[in-house]
Amino acid sequence: MHRLTLLTAVIALAGSLTFSYAAEPLPAAKGEVLLTVTGEIDVTNAPGRAEFDRAMLEALGRKSLTATFVISGKTHLFEGVSLRSVLERVGGKGATVRASAWNDYEVDIPWDDLKYDPLIAMSADGQILTLRDKGPLWIVYPRDDYSVLRDDLHDSRWVWQLNRLRIARP
Amino acid sequence: MRLTFKNYKAALITLAAIAVLAVSLTFTVWRLLNVEEDLRREETHANLWQVSQTQFEASILAESLARAAAGETFADREQTPEFRLAILISRMAILMDGLQGQVIEKVGALGSLRDAYLQLTYAEPLLKDRIDPQTAQLLRV
């Protein structure tokens, strides 16, 4: 009986922690806004949107992956933040994420792609990405780890110069 | 005006014509978007799409420089020559890389593309922060 009570308490605590993280208010961006998230989100720090500067993105936890960029054929070590963690931070729920770039490129990323844990890269091979070199943010997929990601469709989702994410319902 | 059967028929035909036109226009836009997406994605067309985007970006930079040369101030960072140049440089870098670079080399344009890229990188420091109209005018030439 005690074990059951303890288990219930642990589950309730874990649930409340998860909820509180998603619902935790997002402070206003102090630096240059690198990423704006709109659409079906619960957490905002500006009217109808969530804005992230570099420090806010880095606070979500740095991740890295090694992948080959199909255009150059070169393999790079990308570092940044998980796309999934950004969407979780704003309480995003939807079917697709429309990723838009400073160069006006746009592509829809299905929610299902989050299972591959794509990265929003902020640096490549230790060099911070700048606008002139596919930065400051670049969506990269672990295409070297999953053969299913090595096709034109998934390659088209490597959005460089990313600046906006819009979460849409099914 | 009295509503006669003839008028009623004419109105119906007009409405039907408008509806057909609207459907056709919607279909055209949908097809255009599809074709553009295919151009971006399919490897055979990707080179063409990248080249056209680079050319387009070059014209946007030229326009931005013209505005700067006329003494115009930019409310949006995206419209500044510095920003447009960064986008253009990134697009040109894509054209010179890997398989795309090989295609550009095949058509004999890689040398001139590299020269243009180099010249633009030399111009980068001139466009940092704010550009004065005289410099913008010089860069247009």
Side-chain angles (χ1 to χ4, degrees):
Chain A
M1 186 66 190
H2 278 298
R3 277 186 186 171
L4 186 65
T5 311
L6 188 66
L7 184 67
T8 312
V10 167
I11 290 169
L13 182 66
S16 66
L17 280 176
T18 311
F19 176 76
S20 65
Y21 179 68
E24 194 182 312
L26 193 66
K30 288 176 186 152
E32 183 192 349
V33 174
L34 299 186
L35 182 67
T36 303
V37 189
T38 59
E40 301 301 316
I41 57 175
D42 293 335
V43 183
T44 58
N45 60 357
R49 60 191 190 272
E51 295 179 336
F52 290 87
D53 60 20
R54 186 175 296 277
M56 289 164 75
L57 287 171
E58 283 174 348
L60 295 175
R62 286 186 76 87
K63 290 197 77 174
S64 65
L65 66 85
T66 302
T68 305
F69 179 39
V70 71
I71 290 179
S72 67
K74 291 173 190 159
T75 303
H76 303 281
L77 171 67
F78 295 101
E79 287 175 281
V81 58
S82 159
L83 172 62
R84 187 195 293 159
S85 64
V86 172
L87 300 178
E88 281 174 358
R89 182 64 184 87
V90 295
K93 294 175 204 83
T96 55
V97 180
R98 171 151 288 202
S100 310
W102 284 115
N103 60 12
D104 295 330
Y105 181 76
E106 279 191 340
V107 73
D108 285 335
I109 296 175
W111 204 264
D112 193 45
D113 271 16
L114 297 182
K115 69 185 175 203
Y116 302 115
D117 205 8
L119 190 75
I120 299 179
M122 290 188 275
S123 70
D125 300 325
Q127 298 289 311
I128 288 180
L129 295 168
T130 60
L131 188 66
R132 74 191 292 287
D133 192 26
K134 303 177 189 65
L137 304 176
W138 184 2
I139 293 180
V140 295
Y141 276 71
R143 76 189 300 281
D144 295 8
D145 302 335
Y146 300 94
S147 59
V148 71
L149 296 179
R150 280 173 237 143
D151 61 14
D152 291 345
L153 184 67
H154 288 93
D155 288 337
S156 72
R157 295 174 189 160
W158 281 53
V159 181
W160 55 82
Q161 292 164 337
L162 171 79
N163 70 335
R164 287 189 312 275
L165 295 172
R166 180 172 180 78
I167 302 168
R169 281 185 188 192
Chain B
M1 194 176 84
R2 282 182 60 204
L3 186 65
T4 62
F5 178 71
K6 206 174 168 185
N7 286 344
Y8 181 69
K9 207 171 148 187
L12 264 183
I13 291 170
T14 310
L15 277 175
I18 290 170
V20 169
L21 186 69
V23 169
S24 305
L25 274 173
T26 310
F27 180 73
T28 308
V29 170
W30 178 74
R31 276 300 299 150
L32 271 173
L33 290 173
N34 271 5
V35 168
E36 209 223 342
E37 200 171 318
D38 286 350
L39 274 175
R40 267 186 273 161
R41 240 180 14 215
E42 286 178 20
E43 202 179 319
T44 46
H45 298 126
N47 295 318
L48 184 65
W49 187 79
Q50 291 286 1
V51 171
S52 68
Q53 290 299 304
T54 308
Q55 196 176 16
F56 179 63
E57 195 53 53
S59 64
I60 296 179
L61 172 64
E63 187 201 328
S64 177
L65 279 172
R67 289 173 61 190
E72 202 176 313
T73 50
F74 297 93
D76 242 338
R77 188 174 80 102
E78 284 176 63
Q79 295 170 0
T80 61
E82 181 190 1
F83 188 94
R84 298 318 329 173
L85 180 64
I87 300 283
L88 178 60
I89 284 176
S90 74
R91 287 210 181 275
M92 290 173 82
I94 291 288
L95 287 184
M96 293 186 295
D97 236 343
L99 291 172
Q100 306 240 21
Q102 288 172 22
V103 172
I104 300 293
E105 192 171 17
K106 260 186 202 168
V107 297
L110 191 61
S112 53
L113 188 68
R114 279 197 178 131
D115 287 346
Y117 180 85
L118 196 64
Q119 282 178 4
L120 288 174
T121 54
Y122 287 150
E124 265 187 302
L126 299 171
L127 299 182
K128 284 269 176 240
D129 303 322
R130 269 183 81 175
I131 181 169
D132 60 87
Q134 287 80 17
T135 312
Q137 185 61 44
L138 284 172
L139 284 171
R140 287 185 69 202
V141 181

